[in-house]
Amino acid sequence: MPHTQQSLQTLLECAEAERDAAQTRAARAAELAQQLARQGRQLIAYRDDYRRRAPAAGAKAAHIELVRSHRDFMQRLDQALDQQRGQLEAAERDAAAEREALLALELRVASVRKLLERRQAHQRQHATRTEQRRSDEAAQRSAWERRDGSPHR
């Protein structure tokens, strides 16, 4: 394998390794975003259920401390939801960035692979031309030898 092709093959292997690592990072980022989305849905469901069980919701008189405690807990649930939404948005941004990085690395792998294929095709074409030239020269020498009856070198 000529030096240039060996260098291109090494470059391709490095690009593929980078792409494979990016695939792993993208998958992890997507899984984290999905996990946070599920967690958010569970938190919303819990908050809604807790809200339905509010004291005095069924027109019953409730003790003021129980109503305050419920209200304070609802506020903490809302704060937790806001924080969780922020985490989800950050995770979704990270997942999108990892997908973009993966696409760029996939493009790089494809570009290097295409360049390598072109170089190989060029070398095959060059080898074919060289062989054809040798064959033509041998045929020409043979024709001269038959015509002259003496070898030419």
Side-chain angles (χ1 to χ4, degrees), residues 102-138:
L102 175 58
L103 288 174
L105 289 169
E106 286 177 341
L107 180 61
R108 182 172 183 223
V109 167
S111 298
V112 172
R113 185 173 285 135
K114 188 67 172 176
L115 178 59
L116 185 59
E117 289 169 1
R118 285 180 182 161
R119 293 280 169 91
Q120 289 170 342
H122 176 73
Q123 286 179 343
R124 283 191 302 273
Q125 186 180 36
H126 180 70
T128 301
R129 285 181 186 157
T130 301
E131 182 58 34
Q132 183 64 46
R133 187 173 49 247
R134 286 183 187 147
S135 177
D136 291 347
E137 289 171 358

Side-chain angles (χ1 to χ4, degrees), residues 37-146:
R38 282 190 301 272
Q39 184 183 42
R41 288 189 300 271
Q42 290 171 345
L43 196 53
I44 289 170
Y46 179 75
R47 181 198 59 188
D48 292 346
D49 182 54
Y50 193 78
R51 182 176 287 144
R52 280 190 296 276
R53 292 184 285 129
K60 299 182 211 170
H63 192 272
I64 192 75
E65 284 302 313
L66 186 59
V67 172
R68 268 192 212 133
S69 174
H70 185 271
R71 185 195 63 213
D72 291 346
F73 188 67
M74 285 298 296
Q75 287 175 345
R76 284 193 297 277
L77 278 175
D78 288 338
Q79 289 170 350
L81 269 168
D82 289 341
Q83 181 181 6
Q84 198 278 334
R85 278 188 205 107
Q87 290 174 344
L88 175 59
E89 289 170 3
E92 287 173 339
R93 282 191 306 273
D94 290 346
E98 291 295 346
R99 281 191 306 273
E100 286 181 33
L102 175 58
L103 288 174
L105 289 169
E106 286 177 341
L107 180 61
R108 182 172 183 223
V109 167
S111 298
V112 172
R113 185 173 285 135
K114 188 67 172 176
L115 178 59
L116 185 59
E117 289 169 1
R118 285 180 182 161
R119 293 280 169 91
Q120 289 170 342
H122 176 73
Q123 286 179 343
R124 283 191 302 273
Q125 186 180 36
H126 180 70
T128 301
R129 285 181 186 157
T130 301
E131 182 58 34
Q132 183 64 46
R133 187 173 49 247
R134 286 183 187 147
S135 177
D136 291 347
E137 289 171 358
Q140 190 174 20
R141 274 194 304 274
S142 177
W144 285 340
E145 288 172 3
R146 281 194 308 268

Side-chain angles (χ1 to χ4, degrees), residues 12 20 80 100 153:
L12 177 61
D20 294 346
E100 286 181 33
R153 289 194 180 192

